[in-house]
Amino acid sequence: MIKRRFVSPQIVQKIMNSILWASGILTIIILIIIIGYILINGLPVINLQFLTESPIEAGRAGGIAPMIVSSIYVTLTAIIVATPLGVGAAIYLAEYAAETSLIKVIRFTTQTLAAIPSIVYGLFGLAFFVVFCGLGFSLLSGGLVLALMALPTILYTAESSIKAVPESYREASLALGATKWQTIYKVVLPAAAPGIATGVILGMARALEEAAAVMFVVGSATDMPYTIFDPGRPLPLHLYLLAVEGISLKNAYGTAAVLVILVLLITITTNILIEKHREKMMGR
Amino acid sequence: GQKKSRIQIAGSTSVQPVAEKLAQAYTKKHPNVKINVQGGGSSVGITQAKQGTIDIGTSSKDLKPDERQGLSVYLIGRDGIAIIVNKNNPINDLSKSQIRDIFSGKIRNWKEVGGPDAKINVITREAGSGTRKSFEEVVMKNEKIRGDAIVQSSTEAVKQAVKNDPNAIGYISLAHLDESVKGISVDGVPPSEKTVADGSYPIARPFLMLVKGEPKDIVKDFLKFVLSPEGQAIIKSEKVVPVNQCPPTIVQKYDNSKLR
Amino acid sequence: MYRIETEDLNVYFGEDHILKDINIKIKANTVTAIIGPSGCGKSTFIRTLNRMNDVIPNFRHEGKVYFDGKDIYDPDVDVVELRKKIGMVFQKPNPFPKSIYENVAYGLRIHGVTDEEIIRKKVEESLKAAALWDEVKDRLDQSAFSLSGGQQQRLCIARTLAVEPEVIMMDEPCSALDPISTTKIEDLIHKLKKDYTIIIVTHNLQQATRVSEYAAFFLNGELVEYGPTEKLFVSPQDKRTEAYITGRFG
Amino acid sequence: MYRIETEDLNVYFGEDHILKDINIKIKANTVTAIIGPSGCGKSTFIRTLNRMNDVIPNFRHEGKVYFDGKDIYDPDVDVVELRKKIGMVFQKPNPFPKSIYENVAYGLRIHGVTDEEIIRKKVEESLKAAALWDEVKDRLDQSAFSLSGGQQQRLCIARTLAVEPEVIMMDEPCSALDPISTTKIEDLIHKLKKDYTIIIVTHNLQQATRVSEYAAFFLNGELVEYGPTEKLFVSPQDKRTEAYITGRFG
Amino acid sequence: MKDEELFVKRILLLTALSTIIILFLVIIFIFKESIPVFTEYGVINFILGTKWNPTGTPPQFGMIPLIVGSLALTLLTLLIATPFSVLCAIFIAELAPSTMRKILKPVIETLAGIPSVVYGFFGLILLVPFIRTHLGGTGFGLFTASLILTIMIMPTIISISHDAIRSVPLEYKEASLALGATHWQTIKNVILPAAFPGIVVGIILGMARAIGETLAVIMVAGNVPQIPHSILDPIRALTSNIALEMGYATGLHYSALFGTAVVLFIFTLILLLIANYFQHKTRVRIGGGYL
Ligand SMILES: Nc1ncnc2c1ncn2[C@@H]1O[C@H](COP(=O)(O)OP(=O)(O)OP(=O)(O)O)[C@@H](O)[C@H]1O
Ligand SMILES: Nc1ncnc2c1ncn2[C@@H]1O[C@H](COP(=O)(O)OP(=O)(O)OP(=O)(O)O)[C@@H](O)[C@H]1O
Ligand SMILES: [Mg+2]
Ligand SMILES: [Mg+2]
Ligand SMILES: O=P([O-])([O-])[O-]
């Protein structure tokens, strides 16, 4: 075959190789610099006191214990509400629904829910949970808003991991005389568990990082909340207020670092758990 | 003796730090009482107080007559609004009309007011902010703030912007003024608690607490504490002018006297 | 009476006519081999016998399929019961991602057995019947995926045996296995023959002659020839059968 | 000189020793059949010959592989050139998700041909050589996925022919095909023999006897026997070869 | 047994329907609060008005500057983020050594989970002064906000594109390599086209995040409700508008902010429809089978 080009593909290959390496490394460096910057400025602020004390003078001094507790409350509420809904819907979509128009509607609805800006959820939470349902400014209202936001993520991830379970598992189960639900419950869901867990984690991460949606619904009390009916101030909102209201830049860095570390911890532990589970299931 | 009870406070974010300090001091004396202080904004304070979903609403701006209906309104202090420029800006003093012209866009270069030849970057607050409202009422009169002024959502954001930009000008709550920026004199009067208190510094606004109907029990007790010398001392420590230093003509407009 | 009998069975996937007028009669306690080139409908045929094709959205059938004289496509037939009676082993070993023990116990659990002692006994018994017990008895807790392909296939057979079916259908059970595993599974079929009715799909004609008493040759969805294995291989009645068994295609 | 020659070739995937001391010499313009049971290393072997295994992360080899006398694993060998010369057809038809035309044109385009007229001619020529032209000439713009399995496999062959390789390796090209498609591809191999060196992996022993002049029998990663096809099938030297070709396993 | 199966199915259907119920509630409650601005101020005046001045006399509630602001911000962000993200995804999926990939994947996922406020904070402290001194203007504006959003959405796009690229069947890659294509040719001609629908999903999700981001944008965009003339001009996004003024708004202004949410909702809906159409089209174009 005759070559009809001035620059040989091999040369192009070399050039593209360099471009890809360069852009890959550059992107990664930029992203890591940001984390590094936050951690370098924030880590020195973090100590036991910072983590276990309540803020003094709206956060000018003292710690962020109530914010950590608030974050835990709203995130857990969100996950506890969103997971059964999301996984249930995912099972329905993946296992029961033929491609009917209902499914198309649900699919589009899910997409829409995923795309709605968090601030709109915030307004909805204010009008619906806080006022209409009478839940008031509380961590419960915040958690419910976050549940709505986490729902599409959990649903989508769970659905695709359920669909990824090999058909052969289902057939094996059915061929042994299992009913459809037994098959789903005992074979499909365990096999899809790592994927579903990833979805739940992603949903959790989304709930943990959200400030705008809870801004108008949790009240931003700095007191230690005792129940989810109390108002509170999750970490991201605290960070926003600290940074923007200029209460304390130093504590803002500390709060940001705590958030970054929390996200890191969640990602790493879940990765390890999922790997463990996979090992147990697959024997590798 | 007393059984455990709770007061819910919500509203203006400017009042929030002060209210939190007051709450802390109060609960130290009354361990059975728990006070939640939340933000949300002045209008949240107004509407929630009206609905009775919270015990006390806070506001950093005066209420319109219709907003005030059914509410008891207490002045807890007055906060000045400082005009700030970058520390490297040689300007120290502007007249009210110069400030008005700068913010309306008639003056666009620092050299027109005796500064270096540089464009003026105007920084303002969002519509509805108590700070902005007071600033507009006192300084702008009927003029409008130029449409391309940078809008920052909080006092600190304005301060940050001015601190970093040699050509910027903005306005912030006096309580937040520190050495990172320069608070200039207005018509020759420097911004301070003293000048706000004696009325010589012209730009200020009220900090209010609102209660539906008449306050009762611990709510009433708390409000009394706020207006007591002890409470007022806390307010003063936050660089807000306490009520007893405010001109009586202003205090008269509110329901403070009815609390006794 | 025959154990399994089809009457003018036609199968369609949507528009595609996959099986055409299949008439076959299978006696109890015999081994029947299904042979034919790839895509001729072997898998589809056996999957029709335990209504496994029901899970395929556009599957449609005409004609009758009798199991012990009863049409399995009658509305009042309990599919779950049917599949319990007609066990199936797939071409690719498909153990569940569970331990070896749980794989075999699975069928018992879903059918409501809760007594762990009974389950333990049955698991051991099934693994012994599938000639796998000695190789796995010390590692029942390990993942089924830690087994070799041949062991996995025998595990799948054990899993099927555990629910005590009456018929066992195997879809090319040895096609992915090494010679030794293949021999083990063929031995197993010989052993199982006296208790079960066995239908085995295979592309290995020698295997068909080794294990089966009856053979059915499918081509393009048609049952070309069906009869005693020896007769079919030694004196095929149809030209196409002859062409196939002499290796002219496939 | 031999076209392809291996010297003590050993292949490892991580810890697994997949191919053991393979010595083979393949003459130009011959058809060599590689036979052996599943998993014995047939695919791994031919993928070593065009360095396709390079894409597998933990692949490692020892020994030499000569192509026209030059070791293809030498650092200065241009892998891209090598693969152009040694074409490959895979077991499962794997057309690109493009039109029929673009599938065949693909190789030309990546090798710098831009003249659409030349490409059009070459596409036609290759499709004709692969005995597919008549069936697709009116629908060249359609997706390659609209073809049947056999047609897709011939499309893959046409795609390989289009870049004018010197050697064509086929990995069980007919295993998923019906009798008619199989016949077509076998005819094609007969036709291609005079211009190309062909290596074909097959599990169909009859097919091996029909198309090949040389045959190599692999078992467990070893090359058990290698020689003229007729000799290997009629009088195998090794017991294992005999067991395999008489269908005792596999 | 049959009853239980049916029961389970019903319950599952109910959970599936919950998404529809939620969407309805969101729509009803957002629309309900916004009715006054539409009836009293007028739909046309509201949506096509070019001035947003809620405290003026008379107050003006024109959406156009905000719509333009959001649109410009989203487009500019995508313009910067997409090429970098896709290149980075290709790098991680195809070129990075496997140990590097194993480290990078969780790092990128962590970055995707970093609260947007942290990014905004970073932008406020470092990026704004940097832009002012090197590019001029006030530092607050469209470009700065785009950069922050870019950094924010890149992990999302990278992570999803990476998965899409990795899930392209190895067979395609091998087929191309076997024909003597270089690695880059294979990526460009086979892998990217096959991964394209997946990459589009990543871009859509990134875009949704960019449109929806509120606080990070407030911190750096300058928040001027104006139609920008250069990329250094300050702008105000629809989301920012709500968060900025919600705290103070009453009466018609309050309703206008819910109206802003309605516009934002419709805005996202339109983009979603466009994206769906686009994705569907590319799917069909690519081949017989859905990839
Ligand atoms: N789910 C399905 N939908 C549509 N057509 C199908 C489906 N499953 C199989 N077919 C088609 O039915 C025909 C018969 O397939 P079947 O799997 O029964 O063949 P087979 O004889 O088992 O082949 P093999 O030896 O390759 O397993 C084939 O043409 C196949 O393409
Ligand atoms: N990527 C890989 N990593 C590790 N082991 C592999 C890999 N690919 C193949 N193997 C192993 O190498 C051995 C030989 O595989 P190969 O695919 O070459 O067999 P084969 O003879 O082509 O089989 P078949 O007839 O089933 O295609 C098998 O044991 C297989 O499990
Ligand atoms: Mg089959
Ligand atoms: Mg192979
Ligand atoms: O009410 P302000 O936040 O503007 O002081």
Side-chain angles (χ1 to χ4, degrees):
Chain A
M1 169 111 9
I2 323 127
K3 275 216 198 82
R4 288 157 214 271
R5 209 188 271 148
F6 294 111
V7 189
S8 85
Q10 281 88 338
I11 305 269
V12 176
Q13 164 73 29
K14 288 217 172 79
I15 295 170
M16 281 316 298
N17 229 335
S18 326
I19 291 179
L20 285 173
W21 268 93
S23 62
I25 299 283
L26 186 76
T27 310
I28 289 153
I29 286 176
I30 289 175
L31 293 175
I32 287 171
I33 280 179
I34 295 174
I35 303 286
Y37 184 82
I38 300 289
L39 288 183
I40 284 169
N41 285 288
L43 283 181
V45 181
I46 302 177
N47 52 35
L48 196 64
Q49 226 177 340
F50 188 67
L51 296 177
T52 55
E53 277 184 3
S54 284
I56 300 170
E57 295 181 34
R60 205 160 291 140
I64 54 169
M67 288 77 208
I68 296 178
V69 174
S70 297
S71 270
I72 292 173
Y73 276 169
V74 289
T75 309
L76 284 186
T77 309
I79 289 308
I80 289 169
V81 174
T83 304
L85 280 183
V87 175
I91 297 173
Y92 187 80
L93 291 186
E95 297 283 339
Y96 285 93
E99 280 291 321
T100 59
S101 46
L102 173 68
I103 300 320
K104 284 188 190 130
V105 170
I106 292 179
R107 209 152 264 147
F108 188 75
T109 311
T110 314
Q111 274 185 14
T112 313
L113 286 180
I116 292 180
S118 50
I119 190 81
V120 176
Y121 277 110
L123 288 192
F124 169 71
L126 176 63
F128 185 71
F129 293 125
V130 176
V131 178
F132 184 81
C133 299
L135 299 178
F137 296 106
S138 64
L139 294 172
L140 178 61
S141 301
L144 290 174
V145 170
L146 294 178
L148 304 189
M149 294 185 59
L151 178 62
T153 312
I154 295 178
L155 197 163
Y156 179 79
T157 328
E159 189 193 347
S160 42
S161 55
I162 289 171
K163 280 189 168 160
V165 172
E167 203 51 37
S168 67
Y169 293 176
R170 292 187 187 85
E171 295 200 333
S173 173
L174 291 175
L176 289 168
T179 63
K180 185 161 187 162
W181 175 239
Q182 283 176 327
T183 301
I184 292 169
Y185 183 69
K186 299 208 164 193
V187 177
V188 176
L189 287 185
I196 294 175
T198 312
V200 172
I201 300 312
L202 286 176
M204 201 158 128
R206 178 138 202 226
L208 184 64
E209 66 141 331
E210 187 54 51
V214 295
M215 197 152 93
F216 305 134
V217 295
V218 288
S220 45
T222 51
D223 289 339
M224 177 63 80
Y226 290 101
T227 70
I228 50 171
F229 301 102
D230 287 334
R233 186 192 277 191
L235 286 164
L237 185 57
H238 186 56
L239 169 58
Y240 175 72
L241 295 175
L242 285 187
V244 160
E245 306 289 348
I247 296 164
S248 164
L249 214 55
K250 185 174 130 263
N251 284 351
Y253 276 123
T255 311
V258 168
L259 268 171
V260 170
I261 292 169
L262 273 181
V263 172
L264 259 170
L265 278 181
I266 289 180
T267 335
I268 292 171
T269 42
T270 47
N271 270 335
I272 290 173
L273 286 180
I274 287 169
E275 216 29 65
K276 275 244 170 74
H277 178 87
R278 196 166 280 152
E279 231 163 64
K280 202 163 146 240
M281 289 290 170
M282 302 300 193
R284 239 170 280 129
Chain B
Q2 214 179 344
K3 71 172 186 348
K4 193 172 170 166
S5 18
R6 155 182 299 207
I7 303 175
Q8 299 249 28
I9 303 177
S12 161
T13 49
S14 319
V15 184
Q16 198 178 357
V18 187
E20 269 162 4
K21 263 208 142 172
L22 289 165
Q24 256 169 26
Y26 185 78
T27 43
K28 203 171 251 169
K29 282 173 61 178
H30 306 268
N32 290 332
V33 180
K34 193 162 158 34
I35 304 180
N36 278 314
V37 182
Q38 304 160 38
S42 299
S43 82
V44 170
I46 297 166
T47 40
Q48 294 291 313
K50 258 187 175 166
Q51 288 174 3
T53 43
I54 51 172
D55 302 304
I56 300 175
T58 59
S59 171
S60 70
K61 61 171 190 181
D62 265 325
L63 276 64
K64 296 191 201 110
D66 61 320
E67 287 174 338
R68 202 171 158 164
Q69 211 120 77
L71 290 176
S72 301
V73 180
Y74 305 98
L75 177 73
I76 63 165
R78 266 165 62 85
D79 180 30
I81 292 169
I83 311 297
I84 56 170
V85 296
N86 190 275
K87 266 167 60 176
N88 297 326
N89 194 323
I91 303 284
N92 288 316
D93 187 3
L94 290 173
S95 72
K96 237 158 93 176
S97 68
Q98 276 175 323
I99 297 173
R100 182 184 317 130
D101 288 348
I102 288 174
F103 275 84
S104 69
K106 277 198 197 106
I107 296 176
R108 286 175 175 265
N109 195 305
W110 282 114
K111 77 173 177 222
E112 293 173 58
V113 291
D117 181 10
K119 250 174 62 191
I120 300 178
N121 289 332
V122 173
I123 297 175
T124 181
R125 288 287 303 276
E126 70 278 15
S129 145
T131 319
R132 173 171 177 153
K133 191 165 176 295
S134 315
F135 177 79
E136 283 176 331
E137 269 167 12
V138 182
V139 180
M140 299 308 287
K141 300 280 189 318
N142 297 321
E143 298 268 357
K144 271 171 46 186
I145 293 179
R146 55 192 274 197
D148 61 353
I150 296 291
V151 178
Q152 290 295 60
S153 64
S154 71
T155 298
E156 182 63 18
V158 173
K159 207 164 82 184
Q160 278 284 340
V162 173
K163 180 180 143 198
N164 290 319
D165 182 352
N167 303 321
I169 184 167
Y171 53 86
I172 62 169
S173 157
L174 181 61
H176 286 80
L177 182 62
D178 58 29
E179 327 72 62
S180 67
V181 291
K182 190 198 297 187
I184 57 172
S185 302
V186 179
D187 291 331
V189 184
S192 75
E193 289 149 74
K194 194 168 152 290
T195 53
V196 171
D198 65 22
S200 61
Y201 187 78
I203 322 169
R205 45 106 179 250
F207 276 3
L208 305 176
M209 283 194 173
L210 322 166
V211 177
K212 185 181 186 182
E214 294 297 323
K216 283 191 232 26
D217 306 330
I218 48 168
V219 175
K220 186 171 183 181
D221 194 54
F222 175 70
L223 285 169
K224 274 183 178 165
F225 169 78
V226 172
L227 296 178
S228 72
E230 200 184 341
Q232 290 293 304
I234 293 170
I235 287 177
K236 192 167 159 55
S237 73
E238 286 289 294
K239 294 204 272 181
V240 174
V241 177
V243 178
N244 58 17
Q245 291 175 30
C246 297
T249 45
I250 291 178
V251 184
Q252 263 171 24
K253 292 196 291 189
Y254 306 98
D255 301 326
N256 289 28
S257 54
K258 291 190 201 147
L259 197 62
R260 267 131 242 281
Chain C
M1 198 177 63
Y2 293 94
R3 177 126 280 187
I4 291 174
E5 200 176 333
T6 69
E7 225 177 81
D8 293 334
L9 175 66
N10 281 277
V11 167
Y12 307 82
F13 286 142
E15 298 293 289
D16 302 335
H17 196 170
I18 307 292
L19 292 179
K20 296 159 194 158
D21 289 326
I22 308 293
N23 287 287
I24 204 167
K25 290 177 179 168
I26 294 171
K27 281 204 206 111
N29 297 23
T30 58
V31 178
T32 305
I34 315 269
I35 59 173
S38 200
C40 66
K42 307 182 292 291
S43 300
T44 306
F45 174 67
I46 65 167
R47 289 166 58 93
T48 310
L49 302 184
N50 68 345
R51 293 189 55 175
M52 206 65 199
N53 278 331
D54 288 15
V55 303
I56 291 165
N58 54 359
F59 161 80
R60 194 160 54 80
H61 88 291
E62 285 161 7
K64 302 277 180 194
V65 180
Y66 299 106
F67 175 65
D68 289 340
K70 169 122 190 71
D71 185 357
I72 63 166
Y73 283 91
D74 256 10
D76 65 339
V77 166
D78 184 344
V79 189
V80 167
E81 273 307 308
L82 175 77
R83 294 198 185 129
K84 229 176 100 178
K85 287 192 194 138
I86 308 187
M88 181 163 182
V89 176
F90 297 81
Q91 176 161 9
K92 243 187 79 210
N94 59 352
F96 298 123
K98 299 177 188 284
S99 70
I100 294 171
Y101 182 89
E102 283 303 325
N103 259 280
V104 185
Y106 180 82
L108 302 167
R109 294 195 197 282
I110 58 170
H111 293 118
V113 184
T114 47
D115 184 337
E116 203 59 39
E117 192 48 32
I118 295 180
I119 294 179
R120 219 193 43 67
K121 278 211 184 104
K122 193 76 204 169
V123 168
E124 177 172 343
E125 195 180 291
S126 309
L127 283 169
K128 279 182 174 153
L132 190 60
W133 176 250
D134 290 334
E135 293 162 52
V136 302
K137 64 169 179 282
D138 301 324
R139 46 192 278 212
L140 293 172
D141 281 348
Q142 283 181 27
S143 164
F145 289 98
S146 65
L147 299 175
S148 78
Q151 289 173 326
Q152 287 188 13
Q153 195 59 296
R154 275 178 286 148
L155 179 67
C156 292
I157 295 175
R159 184 174 66 181
T160 306
L161 296 180
V163 296
E164 300 178 354
E166 297 169 12
V167 177
I168 300 177
M169 308 193 295
M170 303 184 181
D171 194 348
E172 311 204 27
C174 305
S175 72
L177 303 187
D178 58 297
I180 296 151
S181 307
T182 304
T183 313
K184 285 205 172 140
I185 288 179
E186 287 184 9
D187 290 348
L188 184 56
I189 294 173
H190 279 294
K191 258 193 356 209
L192 296 173
K193 186 157 63 177
K194 62 177 184 299
D195 298 322
Y196 301 92
T197 307
I198 296 175
I199 302 175
I200 176 170
V201 174
T202 177
H203 68 258
N204 181 327
L205 301 183
Q206 278 79 4
Q207 183 171 70
T209 58
R210 282 194 300 268
V211 300
S212 72
E213 297 147 85
Y214 292 87
F217 172 55
F218 279 71
L219 186 62
N220 284 332
E222 280 176 60
L223 176 57
V224 174
E225 194 161 348
Y226 172 52
T229 306
E230 210 170 339
K231 192 164 158 258
L232 191 132
F233 275 84
V234 175
S235 51
Q237 302 295 302
D238 197 294
K239 278 237 152 4
R240 292 167 293 174
T241 315
E242 195 186 335
Y244 183 68
I245 61 177
T246 53
R248 257 176 274 152
F249 64 86
Chain D
M1 197 178 65
Y2 293 96
R3 177 124 282 188
I4 291 174
E5 200 178 333
T6 70
E7 226 176 78
D8 294 333
L9 175 67
N10 280 279
V11 168
Y12 305 83
F13 285 142
E15 298 293 289
D16 301 337
H17 196 170
I18 307 291
L19 292 180
K20 296 161 195 157
D21 288 327
I22 308 292
N23 285 288
I24 206 168
K25 291 176 178 173
I26 293 171
K27 283 205 205 108
N29 296 23
T30 58
V31 178
T32 305
I34 313 268
I35 57 171
S38 199
C40 66
K42 307 182 294 289
S43 300
T44 307
F45 174 66
I46 64 167
R47 288 167 59 93
T48 311
L49 303 184
N50 69 344
R51 293 191 51 177
M52 207 62 200
N53 279 330
D54 289 14
V55 303
I56 291 167
N58 54 358
F59 161 78
R60 195 159 54 78
H61 88 292
E62 284 161 6
K64 302 276 181 196
V65 180
Y66 298 105
F67 176 63
D68 289 339
K70 169 120 191 71
D71 185 0
I72 62 167
Y73 282 92
D74 257 10
D76 65 337
V77 166
D78 183 344
V79 187
V80 167
E81 276 305 312
L82 174 79
R83 294 199 185 126
K84 235 175 92 178
K85 288 194 197 136
I86 308 187
M88 180 161 180
V89 176
F90 296 80
Q91 176 162 8
K92 242 187 81 212
N94 59 352
F96 297 123
K98 297 176 188 284
S99 71
I100 295 170
Y101 182 88
E102 284 304 325
N103 260 280
V104 185
Y106 181 82
L108 301 167
R109 295 197 196 283
I110 58 169
H111 293 121
V113 184
T114 47
D115 184 336
E116 204 57 39
E117 192 48 34
I118 295 181
I119 294 180
R120 219 193 42 68
K121 276 211 184 103
K122 191 77 204 167
V123 167
E124 178 170 344
E125 196 181 291
S126 308
L127 283 169
K128 277 182 176 154
L132 190 60
W133 177 250
D134 289 335
E135 293 162 51
V136 301
K137 63 171 184 279
D138 301 326
R139 47 191 278 211
L140 292 172
D141 281 346
Q142 284 181 27
S143 164
F145 291 122
S146 67
L147 298 175
S148 79
Q151 288 172 326
Q152 289 187 14
Q153 195 60 296
R154 275 178 284 149
L155 179 67
C156 292
I157 295 176
R159 184 174 67 181
T160 305
L161 295 180
V163 298
E164 297 176 358
E166 298 169 12
V167 177
I168 301 177
M169 307 192 296
M170 303 184 180
D171 192 350
E172 311 206 27
C174 306
S175 73
L177 304 187
D178 59 298
I180 295 150
S181 307
T182 303
T183 314
K184 285 201 173 143
I185 288 178
E186 288 184 11
D187 290 349
L188 184 57
I189 293 172
H190 279 295
K191 259 194 352 207
L192 295 174
K193 187 156 62 178
K194 60 175 187 302
D195 299 322
Y196 301 92
T197 307
I198 297 175
I199 302 175
I200 177 171
V201 173
T202 177
H203 69 260
N204 182 326
L205 301 183
Q206 278 80 4
Q207 182 172 71
T209 58
R210 281 194 301 267
V211 300
S212 72
E213 296 146 88
Y214 292 87
F217 171 55
F218 279 71
L219 186 61
N220 284 330
E222 281 175 60
L223 175 57
V224 173
E225 193 161 349
Y226 173 52
T229 305
E230 211 170 337
K231 192 163 157 258
L232 192 132
F233 275 83
V234 174
S235 52
Q237 302 295 304
D238 196 293
K239 278 235 153 2
R240 291 168 294 175
T241 317
E242 194 187 335
Y244 183 68
I245 60 175
T246 54
R248 259 176 273 152
F249 63 87
Chain E
M1 211 57 134
K2 282 235 160 86
D3 291 348
E4 191 196 296
E5 290 283 307
L6 204 67
F7 177 72
V8 167
K9 189 174 168 178
R10 293 246 168 87
I11 296 277
L12 292 174
L13 174 63
L14 220 62
T15 60
L17 290 178
S18 72
T19 57
I20 298 181
I21 297 167
I22 290 168
L23 185 62
F24 259 99
L25 283 177
V26 171
I27 292 173
I28 288 170
F29 274 84
I30 297 293
F31 272 75
K32 197 185 81 186
E33 300 286 338
S34 68
I35 289 173
V37 78
F38 289 120
T39 51
E40 289 172 35
Y41 190 70
V43 178
I44 301 290
N45 287 344
F46 182 64
I47 292 178
L48 296 181
T50 55
K51 268 240 136 27
W52 175 267
N53 183 11
T55 50
T57 34
Q60 287 170 299
F61 302 110
M63 284 277 103
I64 284 293
L66 311 177
I67 294 175
V68 172
S70 272
L71 206 60
L73 184 58
T74 309
L75 288 183
L76 188 60
T77 302
L78 283 184
L79 219 60
I80 307 170
T82 307
F84 275 106
S85 307
V86 173
L87 284 178
C88 191
I90 296 173
F91 168 75
I92 298 175
E94 289 288 328
L95 282 154
S98 66
T99 42
M100 189 168 173
R101 180 170 57 240
K102 279 195 198 111
I103 298 169
L104 283 181
K105 192 72 186 51
V107 168
I108 300 279
E109 271 161 20
T110 308
L111 284 167
I114 298 280
S116 51
V117 173
V118 172
Y119 288 116
F121 181 49
F122 178 83
L124 182 67
I125 305 283
L126 285 187
L127 204 58
V128 170
F130 183 85
I131 299 274
R132 178 176 42 245
T133 35
H134 292 92
L135 297 178
T138 57
F140 294 97
L142 178 54
F143 186 56
T144 317
S146 298
L147 286 184
I148 285 299
L149 287 184
T150 297
I151 293 172
M152 216 179 86
I153 69 172
M154 265 174 48
T156 308
I157 306 183
I158 291 175
S159 155
I160 295 171
S161 302
H162 170 267
D163 291 347
I165 291 169
R166 295 286 289 180
S167 65
V168 172
L170 193 63
E171 298 152 22
Y172 294 159
K173 187 174 168 184
E174 292 193 338
S176 172
L177 291 176
L179 289 169
T182 63
H183 193 180
W184 169 245
Q185 285 176 323
T186 304
I187 291 170
K188 191 181 78 175
N189 295 314
V190 179
I191 295 178
L192 281 188
F196 193 70
I199 293 174
V200 170
V201 171
I203 294 172
I204 292 171
L205 288 183
M207 181 168 82
R209 235 192 130 183
I211 295 171
E213 184 47 45
T214 310
L215 302 182
V217 174
I218 288 186
M219 288 159 123
V220 297
N223 305 315
V224 181
Q226 65 174 7
I227 294 172
H229 298 289
S230 93
I231 60 168
L232 292 177
D233 278 355
I235 51 122
R236 180 185 291 193
L238 288 161
T239 48
S240 312
N241 195 45
I242 300 171
L244 274 173
E245 296 178 3
M246 196 61 208
Y248 311 99
T250 44
L252 204 56
H253 186 190
Y254 182 81
S255 170
L257 293 181
F258 274 87
T260 310
V262 170
V263 171
L264 189 56
F265 180 78
I266 293 170
F267 190 79
T268 33
L269 213 59
I270 290 172
L271 283 174
L272 202 64
L273 286 171
I274 292 173
N276 263 334
Y277 169 78
F278 185 61
Q279 200 192 355
H280 185 68
K281 229 180 95 176
T282 53
R283 266 191 178 175
V284 172
R285 194 171 58 78
I286 271 176
Y290 285 111
L291 284 167

